[in-house]
Amino acid sequence: MKTIIRNIFFIVLSWLFLPVSATNLEVIISGVDLPADLSAEQINHLLSDSHGLVWFGTVNGLYRWDGQRALFFSKNQKNEAVAALALSRDGKVWVAFADGSLAYVEGRQLTPFAVADSSFSTNISSMVFDEENRLWLGTEGDGIYCLDGEKLFHFAHKDGLKDEYIYDLKTIPGNKVAAATDFGIAICNFDKPTGKFSVETIVEGLPDVIVTALDFDGKNTLWLGFHKGGMGYYSLEEKKFHQLKLSNTFHFGQIIALETNAVGTWVADDKNGLMLVNGNERKNLDVIFFNGKAFDEKVKTILSDGLGNLFILTQKGMYVSSGGVLSMIKQAGDFSLTDLHAVAAPDLNHFWVANNNGLVEINGDEHKVFLDKVLEPTVRITALSQANDGRIWIATFGQGLICFDPSTEKHWFINEKNGLINDNVLSVNCKDNIIWAATLGGASKITLSENTVECSFQIASFDKQNGLGNNYIYTILQDSRGNVWFGTDGNGLVKYSNGSFQFFDENSGIGDDVVYAITEDENGEIWFSTSSSGLYSYDGNIFKNYSTSEGLSSQNILSIACKDQHVFILTDKGLDVFHKEGNIFINMFEDSENEKLQADLNSVYTGKNYVCFAVQSGLIIVKTNAFDNNTYEPVTLLDWVTVNLQALSDTNEQNFSSDENRFVFEYSGLWFPSPQKVRYKVKLDGYDPEWKTTYDHSVSYPNLPPGKYTFKVVSFLGMAVAQGKQASFSFEIKKPFYRQVWFIILVAAILVFLIYRFIIFRETRLKQIEARKKEKLEFEFQTLKNQVNPHFLFNSFSTLISIIEENPEKAVNYTEALSDFFRDILEVKDQELIPLKEEIRMIKNFNFIQQQRFGDQFLLKIELDERALNSVIPPLTLQLLTENAIKHNVVSKSKPLVVLIKNDMENIYVENNRNTKKTVEKSTGIGLQNIRDRYKLTSGKEIRVVENEKKYAVILPIINK
């Protein structure tokens, strides 16, 4: 933060045509460090949104600013110069560009708004939203437009508008809009049900027809600024204009801007810079303005936000203050307010101060010194207190008490000679007709008589010997319950009630036995400061301590005062304000040279709506009636939530998938007076075990596991306790589908089903294996039976005998073939599949045996290509099919049996001509079924049988290796 700028500016008081008095008043403001890519020259418009963020309308586009960072919102076009800004009733920021286009902010995007009337394109000068959230646009020479939903209405001369050049627009009660024009004020009303536009032009009584600036105070007053006529206000209730007149020595320039806050109405013109119409009373206006020499920058615009800050944008820079809540008086006319020791202020235009010369009355720019002739050169005034009768009670160090009557300018001394316990008085406290004096020799109670002319009194004194316990008394307080409290040097806090003393010291829970200052709040709670252990409160039962660890700027406390919900603490480092309800300290004022503030103890005065502190360099004034409009802690905002590099448009509670687990949280703590002091505490419930303290504006969680989370952030100042309002975002990352309950149940069900199916399959498979084994045994048995049955053996041996007799050599070959045939059966009977070539070799042996029996009556033809010969086949398949052909058909010369084995691309065909026997041998049917089952088990394929009257064929699918 830039060094705090103290500017001297004059108070000019006027009502109607009376000349004004002037008091030099210094408002505490501080320079703003704008982002590096922005300058005050580029910024033309300021807007505060519902969160407290400030928006800049610049020649280069729209920016959002949180005190440290500026985020650019682009409409992605060449001309992005901003002409006006407005906040809608639903909290959206709207922007009008110099090219006549409109847009509004939505999330991180600037969304263009297309006006239905394509011909709309004009120079917009200002815009506002009325009570029904209709957008009103003022233009530079084209009258006024009203955007109702998507329908655009245009109002100009034809509708009663006297002038079409609009400087400013303001919403006023009754769903109306006031327009500042070159011909007075235009009060505009658009009745939607009837579609009628009406305008009331106000010119009568105005000092100038050219109205350049407007502001509405939120009640019934419309402030007006003119081109040459200065300023004033128009009462909507009275329907009357009131001119603000100044003395002939001061002249307004053209009014640039008006802004009303709780302190008053701030004014900027092109001649004098910034000024303030102080207060809301219409009969007693204080005009405060900056001296051109001390603050000669030309003001461009003023903004009062909802947090109590006042932003001042000039040609050269930007500044922020507490909105006039805090100020400092250093000069009254030609009188310099320095070396002050005490203050009593009936009001802020008339007050009493004590300096090294005596008692000084300040009334406007006039001053008068009293008692300078009667005070000894070495005597200093230590405290002032004003009684109900208007008399000023003055504590001196060396000459006791002085009672001064301002109405007669008479004074009376009360000292050791007439009963005061000690002439070195440190403080004085007045209540009704009781005056208490704190001295270095004890305390004296002064009871005034009813004589209002003279100062007649009775004195009762207390010291260490008669119960007070200590002779060194720093301060005395008479509370609302009739008790008297003493701040002592060594005996802590002492309470006097019903004639007895009660002591509160280190044994009672107070960390220090030296008490400097005591005050009471509106709840009757006692607040006091100590020499080294900070600030304490006492509610009658419990002492609470507040030190630097709670946010107090320094434990060296000079003065304290209570007003409403606040405790004002002047320390050697600045002015702290403790907000009791929020339990938080705010540092409001720091010395410009970072030096310790020089002030006497208990140099404070509490007025009706203000608190004054007398310091060596002047008077610090806090306007407590406006202080409630200020924030007591940084406003915490959760700006953006980014998931997997994508910013969310909605920060309500949301659910995310398991792979949407990379989160970045960006946040702000709005504290514009000192943004660099803001710290943050962040915690992700469900992940972080403890809070994390940081100055960073973002935190990332790159790989969150599934679960429910709540991100929390709270901002705070310096060493203050982080206990403000949290910003939070709750969300849930869902488990991956394979960890969902439904999926686990489904998988479990599938597993159970698969296990069940596996068991069924296994049992079926085992049964099939057993069946195959059984079939195989039956096949083997049947094959053996077929081959060794009596008919086969008889036929084979008969054939062999006949051959032996005819041709012994041929008989030997026949015997060898028969032997090979039976040996082959034994070798292949245990195999599931054998090469087709091997099967062909075996069938040829079988054919040789049958040829010896039938001769040319039986013929076996084999027509297989190489592809088929390279396949495999269940053993003895061809032999069984050939055997079946011989079994079921006549084999004779007249009816020879021909068996043909051939193939195509997919199948092997075993076919024979049909010469069906009249008497068919009994058949079990096992052979063909066996072949069918073995094919299905080994290859999953089916064999087919095709037959007619002439031919019988079995089709065997080719089984590749």
Side-chain angles (χ1 to χ4, degrees), residues 574-781:
L575 176 63
D576 295 339
V577 181
F578 179 69
H579 181 52
K580 292 183 287 183
E581 185 177 346
N583 196 37
I584 189 170
F585 283 91
I586 309 166
N587 184 259
M588 293 289 294
F589 171 77
E590 294 174 320
D591 187 78
S592 59
E593 288 80 24
N594 293 321
E595 297 176 353
K596 290 184 178 180
L597 283 173
Q598 301 294 318
D600 291 355
L601 291 177
N602 300 309
S603 55
V604 60
Y605 181 89
T606 303
K608 181 179 180 181
N609 295 314
Y610 54 89
V611 173
C612 296
F613 293 93
V615 298
Q616 292 292 311
S617 54
L619 287 177
I620 298 174
I621 299 174
V622 183
K623 296 180 180 178
T624 58
N625 61 326
F627 201 85
D628 283 331
N629 295 284
N630 289 55
T631 54
Y632 311 112
E633 58 193 349
V635 175
T636 306
L637 299 178
L638 183 58
D639 295 326
W640 317 110
V641 178
T642 303
V643 182
N644 290 6
L645 304 180
Q646 295 294 322
L648 299 181
S649 59
D650 184 8
T651 54
N652 294 323
E653 185 172 349
Q654 296 192 28
N655 296 323
F656 301 93
S657 63
S658 59
D659 58 348
E660 293 177 312
N661 61 353
R662 297 182 294 278
F663 280 74
V664 178
F665 300 95
E666 298 179 55
Y667 41 83
S668 300
L670 302 185
W671 188 253
F672 292 104
S674 302
Q676 74 281 358
K677 290 184 177 180
V678 178
R679 302 171 70 196
Y680 303 93
K681 279 194 173 183
V682 297
K683 184 182 181 184
L684 183 61
D685 282 348
Y687 187 83
D688 291 329
E690 302 290 342
W691 287 86
K692 301 175 184 177
T693 302
T694 180
Y695 280 101
D696 294 334
H697 289 265
S698 66
V699 62
S700 61
Y701 295 89
N703 191 21
L704 289 175
K708 292 184 177 181
Y709 301 95
T710 298
F711 177 75
K712 299 176 181 178
V713 57
V714 59
S715 56
F716 60 102
L717 296 173
M719 297 303 295
V721 179
Q723 55 189 4
K725 293 182 180 179
Q726 297 177 357
S728 63
F729 173 66
S730 297
F731 61 99
E732 180 179 0
I733 299 177
K734 296 291 187 180
K735 295 177 181 178
F737 72 92
Y738 53 83
R739 292 179 59 186
Q740 299 286 345
V741 174
W742 66 267
F743 183 81
I744 294 172
I745 293 175
L746 178 62
V747 170
I750 292 173
L751 288 175
V752 170
F753 175 76
L754 291 176
I755 292 171
Y756 170 76
R757 293 299 301 167
F758 175 76
I759 294 173
I760 297 300
F761 173 78
R762 185 172 180 274
E763 290 180 352
T764 303
R765 183 69 174 170
L766 290 175
K767 289 179 181 179
Q768 289 175 344
I769 293 172
E770 291 298 323
R772 289 174 63 183
K773 288 181 179 179
K774 182 179 179 181
E775 290 175 0
K776 186 177 181 183
L777 290 174
E778 288 178 351
F779 167 73
E780 292 171 356
F781 178 69

Side-chain angles (χ1 to χ4, degrees), residues 87-91 94 128-136 147-149 175:
L87 189 67
S88 66
R89 296 287 172 174
D90 56 1
W94 283 69
V128 294
F129 284 86
D130 65 15
E131 294 172 348
E132 292 187 5
N133 206 35
R134 291 179 298 211
L135 178 61
W136 293 72
L147 187 63
D148 186 11
N175 203 30

Side-chain angles (χ1 to χ4, degrees), residues 300-372:
K300 297 168 72 173
T301 188
I302 318 163
L303 172 68
S304 177
D305 67 6
L307 308 180
N309 301 298
L310 185 76
F311 297 93
I312 307 151
L313 178 65
T314 73
Q315 296 286 353
K316 296 182 180 179
M318 185 169 170
Y319 304 89
V320 63
S321 80
S322 58
V325 171
L326 182 66
S327 58
M328 193 169 184
I329 299 177
K330 286 190 173 183
Q331 194 82 14
D334 59 354
F335 179 74
S336 178
L337 277 72
T338 57
D339 298 323
L340 301 185
H341 304 295
V343 60
D347 60 63
L348 293 180
N349 291 315
H350 180 209
F351 47 90
W352 301 84
V353 295
N355 63 7
N356 293 336
N357 297 320
L359 180 67
V360 183
E361 180 185 20
I362 307 293
N363 196 345
D365 62 349
E366 298 179 356
H367 77 282
K368 187 174 182 180
V369 179
F370 299 93
L371 306 180
D372 55 326

Side-chain angles (χ1 to χ4, degrees), residues 337-521:
L337 277 72
T338 57
D339 298 323
L340 301 185
H341 304 295
V343 60
D347 60 63
L348 293 180
N349 291 315
H350 180 209
F351 47 90
W352 301 84
V353 295
N355 63 7
N356 293 336
N357 297 320
L359 180 67
V360 183
E361 180 185 20
I362 307 293
N363 196 345
D365 62 349
E366 298 179 356
H367 77 282
K368 187 174 182 180
V369 179
F370 299 93
L371 306 180
D372 55 326
K373 305 298 183 181
V374 300
L375 290 175
E376 297 178 5
T378 58
V379 172
R380 293 290 179 266
I381 296 175
T382 56
L384 298 176
S385 182
Q386 189 166 26
N388 293 338
D389 60 7
R391 293 181 179 181
I392 306 295
W393 287 83
I394 305 163
T396 72
F397 197 82
Q399 286 186 261
L401 280 175
I402 302 175
C403 178
F404 177 76
D405 188 345
S407 61
T408 62
E409 298 187 6
K410 293 180 61 177
H411 66 273
W412 298 267
F413 279 96
I414 303 172
N415 49 38
E416 294 178 9
K417 295 179 180 179
N418 46 24
L420 192 67
I421 196 169
N422 190 280
D423 283 344
N424 296 312
V425 183
L426 300 181
S427 71
V428 58
N429 181 265
C430 302
K431 187 176 182 181
D432 299 327
N433 65 332
I434 304 296
I435 312 297
W436 280 90
T439 77
L440 293 184
S444 291
K445 176 183 178 183
I446 303 167
T447 305
L448 300 177
S449 66
E450 296 182 358
N451 185 349
T452 59
V453 178
E454 298 296 327
C455 184
S456 58
F457 53 85
Q458 294 181 347
I459 295 181
S461 296
F462 304 88
D463 58 11
K464 184 176 182 179
Q465 284 69 33
N466 53 23
L468 185 54
N470 197 293
N471 287 341
Y472 299 98
I473 312 298
Y474 288 109
T475 187
I476 298 177
L477 170 71
Q478 301 179 72
D479 71 12
S480 59
R481 295 180 173 87
N483 304 309
V484 182
W485 299 82
F486 304 88
T488 71
D489 186 358
N491 283 86
L493 182 68
V494 180
K495 176 182 177 183
Y496 180 66
S497 178
N498 298 322
S500 62
F501 292 93
Q502 184 179 2
F503 296 88
F504 303 97
D505 52 21
E506 293 179 351
N507 296 325
S508 306
I510 301 175
D512 194 330
D513 284 344
V514 178
V515 176
Y516 284 152
I518 310 172
T519 190
E520 181 185 19
D521 66 18

Side-chain angles (χ1 to χ4, degrees), residues 151-220:
K151 192 171 183 180
L152 186 68
F153 298 89
H154 181 214
F155 307 117
H157 282 305
K158 60 182 176 58
D159 305 290
L161 198 61
K162 299 297 184 182
D163 188 86
E164 295 182 349
Y165 195 100
I166 311 300
Y167 290 95
D168 202 0
L169 293 173
K170 285 294 182 293
T171 302
I172 59 177
N175 203 30
K176 298 178 180 180
V177 171
T181 77
D182 275 339
F183 193 77
I185 315 167
I187 306 296
C188 307
N189 182 30
F190 177 57
D191 188 3
K192 181 179 179 180
T194 63
K196 293 182 178 179
F197 173 77
S198 61
V199 59
E200 177 188 0
T201 302
I202 300 172
V203 177
E204 186 178 351
L206 302 184
D208 185 358
V209 294
I210 302 177
V211 182
T212 56
L214 290 176
D215 192 51
F216 180 62
D217 69 353
K219 297 177 182 178
N220 61 4

